Structure formats: C-alpha cells, structure tokens
Amino acid sequence: MSFASNPRLARLEQWVRKRIPTVIAGIAFLVLWEGLARVIGSNRIFASLEYTWSSLLEQQDTVFIRITETFTSVVVAFVLASIFGILLGVLIAEIFTFRQMSMPLVIFGYSIPHPVLAPVFVIWFLVFGDVVLLTFTGPSAYLFGDVAANQAQQSFAINGVTTFGAWVGFFPVFISTITGMNSLEERYRHLGQVLGATRWQMVKYFRFYRALPNIASSLKSTAQLSIVGVIVAEFVASGAGIGYQIVLAWKTAELGYMFGVITVIMVGSYVFFQMVVWIIKKLTPPGTVS
Amino acid sequence: MEKIGERTSGVGRITPANTKRTRWTLSVIGVVSWLLLWQFVPRLLGLQARYFPTPVDVYDELARIWEPVLKAIPPTLQAAIVGFLLSLVLSIAIGAILVSNEAILEALMPFIVGVNTVPRIAMTPLIIYWVGFIPVTWIDLWLANYVMALWVAFFPMLIAAIDGFRDIDEDTKNMLEVYGATEWQAFKYVRFKNGLPFIFDGMKIGFILAMVGAVVGEFVSNTFGVGSMAASAISRTSVSRAISIVLVLGFISATVVFVIYVAESRLIFWRDSSVMGGEP
C-alpha cells in the first residue's frame, strides 16, 4: 500500500474502508426506496424520494427545531441513564445483601414493557413542572432567517420525556455493570488481598476496571434505547419533539412529511450512536470497546 | 448474571449450605421493605396522595378498574403473543436460510444490523397509516398492533438466531466437512442445537419487545387495549391508575419471561440459564 508509509493516511484509509459496507447499504436502501415508490406509483401510499425531500424542505424550520429538541432530550436521557446505571450497578454489585434484596424488583422492573410506564413519568412532570438545567438558543435561529430567537429557544431539562428515556436506557448499563464487576478473575482478587487493598481500592482499581468493557459495550445499547424512550414519551406527551411530529403527519395524512421525519430520525440516531461510540473510545483505555 | 455461589469461595460471607435460603429470605425482605417504604415515605414527606399514591391506593384503584382492565388485556396480549410467535418462527427460518448461504448473509448483514440499530418504534405512525389503507372490511387499525409487535421483536431475535447458528468451533466445522454433511444436516444436527441457548435469550427479550410494540401501537392508534388505557390516565392525571396498569402488565410479562426461562432450563440441560437473558 502506498499509504503504509504515512500512519495518518493509513488510518484514514482504514476508517474509510470500514464505512464502505454502510455506504453501500445506504445507497442500496435509497435505490430500493425509489424503486418501490416507482412500482407503487402513488405518493399517498409510498412517498417517492423527491416528494419526501420537498415535503421536508417545506417545513425545514419546524423539523430542525423539533429534531434539536428531541436530541437534546436524548443527550440528557443518556447521561442520566449512564450515571444512575453505573452508580447503582457498582453499589449493588458490591453489597451482597443489597443485591439480593433488590433482585426481585430489578427483574420485575426489567420485564415491564417500558412504554406503559411513560404516562407515569409524563404525569409527574406535568404536575410539578420541569427542572430546566440550561437554556440556549437553538441553531435554527441562526440557520433560518424566519425563525425568531424565542422560537428556537431550547433547553436541557429533566422532564417527563428525558426521565422516561433514562429509565428505558438504564437497564443495559446497570446490568452490565453488575455482571462486569462480578466477573473479576480469582487471581486479581488474590492480588488485591496480597497487596492489602481496602474494599474501596478493590472497587476502584480492580472491579471497576474489570467492568469497563462491559459498561462500554452496554452504553451502546443505552444510546439506542434512550432514543427509543424519548420518542415513545414524545408520542404520549403530545406537543413535544420530533415524535409528536410523526404522529401529527399521520393525523394529517401527509405521507411525504412522515417519510421525511422518520428518515431524519434514523440519520440522527445513526450520528448520535457513532458519536457515543467515538466518545467512549476516547474516554476508555484502548481496546476496551470494539 | 453470575451465580451467587461462585463468589463465596474467596469471600466466605456465606456457606453454600444456607445460600439458597439466605437469598430467598433477603429477596422477600427486600420486597417487603420496598412496599413499606413506598407506603410510608410519601405520607411522612406530606406528598399529595393524588400524585404519589401508596401501594394501598394503587390496590384500591386496581380493584376499582379491575373489570375494564380484564377486558383490555386480551387484545394487547393477543397482539404481543401473535407478533412474538411470528417473530420466533420467522427468525429461526430466515436465520437458518441466511446462515446456510455465507454470501447472502454477508450482503444482508449491514441491513439487519442497521435496522436493529435505528429506533424502529419511530415507524409506528407509518405502520398504522399503511394498515389503514388495507381495503379489507374486517381489518381495522388493531392489525397495526400485531404488525408493531412483529416489527419491534423480530430483528433482535433474528440476530440472536444468526449468532447462535454461526457460533460453531473450528473442529465441528471440520467434522461436518469430513463427513460431507449437507447444509440441512449441518443445521439439523449441529447448528440448531447449538443456537438454542441464543434463541432462548432472544425469546426473553423478544417477548418484552413484542409487548412494547403492541403497547406503543395502542398509544398512537388509540385502539382499545392496555396501552390506550394507560395513555388515558394522562388526561385524568391519575398516577394510581397508570401505576396499577404498569403492575398488571409487568406481572404478565414477568410471568411469560419466567415460563420461557423454566422451559429453557429444562430443555437446555448443558448450560446455565439466566432470567435476564444476557445483555438486553
């Protein structure tokens, strides 16, 4: 390879190569989409690419504001799920009594089909109001001329949508933390004992590190599930985010807009997922996450 | 999940003899103390009963709406079960076909993984919209809940099946080649049995996901069922109603998952089973 002499170019080449199947799948998907649309030949049953694109452009400012709103919620949900999942996981893995006491509740909570809980979260925050962490003017105010700054006002908030998203994303990271903490090999446990590690040092230097690969890979599931949770909560809590926009498109039977919004969500989720993987890779020791 | 006994060797906090009883006792204490906390803490903090119902409040509400709940369960459960069983059959059949043909599998894998990665639940309104187009009189929007259950549960179960069928070591592969086994024989004698633990893990997640699909379908289309009943609690701001529905549904799916787990531990005697089904 001519790139072999330059490590940076070689890495770039490797990066591009790894993306080739994804790109091919994406193109094949678009071709399939357009082909199906041509065969069916009705924008009321299956929107063509062109119709989808024009419907999306017509309402681009709304879509942009709503998608920012949704993914701001997803970020909050993801962070909440990760923090609580790891902290509670460490706590429960470390304290045997606590683990046994909470096991039935954990299994029960895990097997509840989560959407049915969304109304509980929504009602609570409906009654007590949201906890706004940070308000900012969304990028749509700068990108679109006709969007006023107050329309683009967005916030990182703890509300029904984000807490529900966090609940949905919580279980993978929680369970993986427990599993990982408990899979410390016998020889390391002995090493810790020989070195006279305290319980806290044992957790900090041995068991948590043992759990890191499990946590890192489970955070990927958490990233996906937070998005699912946020969108489901938006379905129920009418008015919020991109989830409500899809329901609205269904109610007004605007198929092009519906296709467009769903595509935007899919692309957004892909980007968010890749960002999470990138951040995890940067934060953890090399080789932790594949 | 790790078995508790494995931890005891170095730590010595409990002996294997009383482990099981200790575990059960602790679990019962845990549930009871949780119920007590839930019963008394909201009152001590002076929170409104309307928004922070105690277990007793929830029980009262459940008793009050028991009849309607009993009527609402069958449509939802039926959609979830039909979607789940279809996913199971399809995932095994399609998984088997894909695994027997390496080239097709490699070509389709980016699609399958891609669809599994994106939030499929976002397509709920679209599926309901399409179902509304079916020009058959006896089909109504409720069909969308069945499709949703299938759509949400299928891909994780398919990936579990493919992973299971492919998880064969080099020696077994060589053996199949030496014996000149056909693809069907390889599937019948090796791949299927080998994939069973994976399929069962997929089933535990798959059933919960099928319930998720059915419930979200009802959220959006508002067809009669447990999901639409739970959503209607929002307009009444009735937390106790929402929680009692959650408990009923949680109980149902926990029972089904437990049944799958028991079937698994009977059927797959060569491997330890877990209730949680590996990583969700």
Side-chain angles (χ1 to χ4, degrees):
Chain A
M1 279 285 119
S2 56
F3 288 150
S5 52
N6 189 335
R8 181 169 285 182
L9 275 179
R11 218 178 304 149
L12 183 76
E13 194 202 346
Q14 203 187 12
W15 188 86
V16 171
R17 267 210 191 152
K18 263 170 78 181
R19 299 281 172 303
I20 287 176
T22 319
V23 172
I24 292 177
I27 293 171
F29 175 75
L30 287 180
V31 169
L32 203 70
W33 176 350
E34 185 60 23
L36 253 176
R38 292 262 165 95
V39 170
I40 292 171
S42 161
N43 275 333
R44 285 191 60 221
I45 298 177
F46 202 93
S48 67
L49 283 178
E50 195 200 339
Y51 180 57
T52 306
W53 182 243
S54 63
S55 320
L56 202 58
L57 279 188
E58 240 169 64
Q59 310 202 42
Q60 51 175 336
D61 39 0
T62 318
V63 172
F64 204 86
I65 293 175
R66 293 304 174 195
I67 198 83
T68 323
E69 187 181 346
T70 296
F71 278 93
T72 324
S73 305
V74 169
V75 170
V76 177
F78 176 72
V79 171
L80 283 179
S82 315
I83 292 174
F84 279 97
I86 294 173
L87 283 184
L88 282 177
V90 168
L91 199 71
I92 280 190
E94 187 54 25
I95 304 171
F96 172 78
T97 320
F98 200 47
R99 173 146 54 110
Q100 278 313 314
M101 281 170 70
S102 57
M103 240 345 133
L105 296 173
V106 170
I107 293 175
F108 186 75
Y110 171 72
S111 42
I112 295 172
H114 51 74
V116 84
L117 258 170
V120 179
F121 287 86
V122 171
I123 295 171
W124 273 336
F125 285 93
L126 216 64
V127 174
F128 294 100
D130 304 347
V131 182
V132 178
L133 303 174
L134 173 77
T135 313
F136 64 98
T137 306
S140 38
Y142 308 103
L143 288 171
F144 304 108
D146 50 347
V147 176
N150 61 335
Q151 281 175 299
Q153 198 72 249
Q154 274 159 350
S155 55
F156 287 97
I158 295 177
N159 54 30
V161 173
T162 53
T163 45
F164 179 70
W167 164 268
V168 177
F170 166 79
F171 280 94
V173 59
F174 174 66
I175 291 168
S176 298
T177 308
I178 300 176
T179 315
M181 292 268 298
N182 283 334
S183 348
L184 185 69
E185 288 81 354
E186 195 77 5
R187 56 179 194 276
Y188 290 114
R189 198 148 51 213
H190 289 318
L191 177 63
Q193 275 169 357
V194 169
L195 292 175
T198 61
R199 192 167 184 180
W200 167 242
Q201 283 171 330
M202 206 63 206
V203 170
K204 191 175 161 194
Y205 295 114
F206 286 94
R207 304 183 71 196
F208 185 71
Y209 269 92
R210 175 61 191 80
L212 257 187
N214 297 57
I215 296 175
S217 73
S218 70
L219 281 179
K220 293 188 199 170
S221 321
T222 298
Q224 293 164 6
L225 286 174
S226 315
I227 301 176
V228 170
V230 164
I231 290 174
V232 168
E234 287 175 350
F235 280 163
V236 203
S238 35
I242 203 83
Y244 181 66
Q245 290 298 310
I246 321 175
V247 179
L248 204 66
W250 166 59
K251 285 188 172 150
T252 53
E254 288 174 71
L255 194 62
Y257 186 51
M258 187 147 54
F259 267 58
V261 170
I262 290 174
T263 314
V264 168
I265 292 178
M266 302 298 171
V267 173
S269 323
Y270 179 78
V271 172
F272 178 73
F273 182 75
Q274 294 299 330
M275 268 164 55
V276 168
V277 172
W278 186 79
I279 291 173
I280 295 173
K281 272 190 184 158
K282 285 281 156 197
L283 288 182
T284 51
T288 310
V289 59
S290 53
Chain B
M1 203 123 298
E2 181 208 38
K3 288 261 257 356
I4 302 305
E6 290 170 20
R7 274 199 55 175
T8 53
S9 56
V11 186
R13 260 176 284 192
I14 36 168
T15 60
N18 65 12
T19 305
K20 201 167 184 186
R21 211 175 57 205
T22 318
R23 285 167 65 190
W24 277 103
T25 320
L26 282 173
S27 297
V28 172
I29 294 175
V31 173
V32 171
S33 49
W34 165 247
L35 284 175
L36 287 176
L37 276 178
W38 181 10
Q39 176 67 34
F40 292 109
V41 168
R43 289 294 151 278
L44 287 176
L45 294 175
L47 296 167
Q48 276 176 283
R50 189 172 157 71
Y51 304 121
F52 291 93
T54 61
V56 176
D57 295 336
V58 172
Y59 179 80
D60 288 344
E61 176 72 13
L62 190 58
R64 215 165 58 77
I65 61 167
W66 187 242
E67 294 283 316
V69 166
L70 276 189
K71 278 205 197 91
I73 288 172
T76 313
L77 199 59
Q78 216 171 322
I81 289 177
V82 171
F84 167 72
L85 291 178
L86 272 177
S87 304
L88 180 62
V89 174
L90 283 177
S91 65
I92 293 175
I94 295 178
I97 293 169
L98 287 181
V99 167
S100 69
N101 195 324
E102 201 69 26
I104 296 181
L105 181 67
E106 289 304 322
L108 285 183
M109 222 41 201
F111 275 109
I112 297 170
V113 174
V115 176
N116 194 42
T117 315
V118 297
R120 271 157 296 146
I121 210 92
M123 288 188 59
T124 315
L126 183 60
I127 286 171
I128 295 169
Y129 178 87
W130 274 336
V131 167
F133 262 99
I134 298 176
V136 182
T137 43
W138 54 271
I139 284 179
D140 204 357
L141 286 186
W142 53 259
L143 181 70
N145 304 336
Y146 289 66
V147 181
M148 278 307 297
L150 174 67
W151 170 242
V152 174
F154 174 66
F155 285 94
M157 290 173 80
L158 177 65
I159 288 178
I162 290 177
D163 283 348
F165 294 154
R166 281 217 289 191
D167 186 50
I168 299 180
D169 54 34
E170 202 62 32
D171 291 345
T172 319
K173 259 182 212 159
N174 292 340
M175 182 197 73
L176 287 173
E177 202 156 310
V178 169
Y179 281 143
T182 61
E183 283 296 342
W184 168 243
Q185 284 169 327
F187 177 76
K188 190 172 152 197
Y189 295 116
V190 178
R191 290 191 194 277
F192 185 68
K193 183 171 167 263
N194 207 59
L196 267 183
F198 291 80
I199 291 172
F200 270 104
D201 276 350
M203 276 164 76
K204 287 172 218 155
I205 300 156
F207 183 76
I208 298 175
L209 285 177
M211 288 285 262
V212 168
V215 168
V216 174
E218 287 172 5
F219 275 172
V220 179
S221 70
N222 213 14
T223 46
F224 180 69
V226 185
S228 50
M229 206 171 173
S232 77
I234 294 183
S235 52
R236 298 159 178 267
T237 58
S238 170
V239 178
S240 52
R241 168 167 300 195
I243 290 181
S244 52
I245 295 171
V246 167
L247 291 183
V248 172
L249 225 56
F251 184 74
I252 293 174
S253 44
T255 311
V256 174
V257 170
F258 188 71
V259 167
I260 297 174
Y261 162 73
V262 170
E264 179 186 6
S265 45
R266 286 280 157 80
L267 204 63
I268 306 174
F269 48 84
W270 62 89
R271 178 182 168 271
D272 284 332
S273 313
S274 92
V275 183
M276 305 288 238
E279 256 186 42

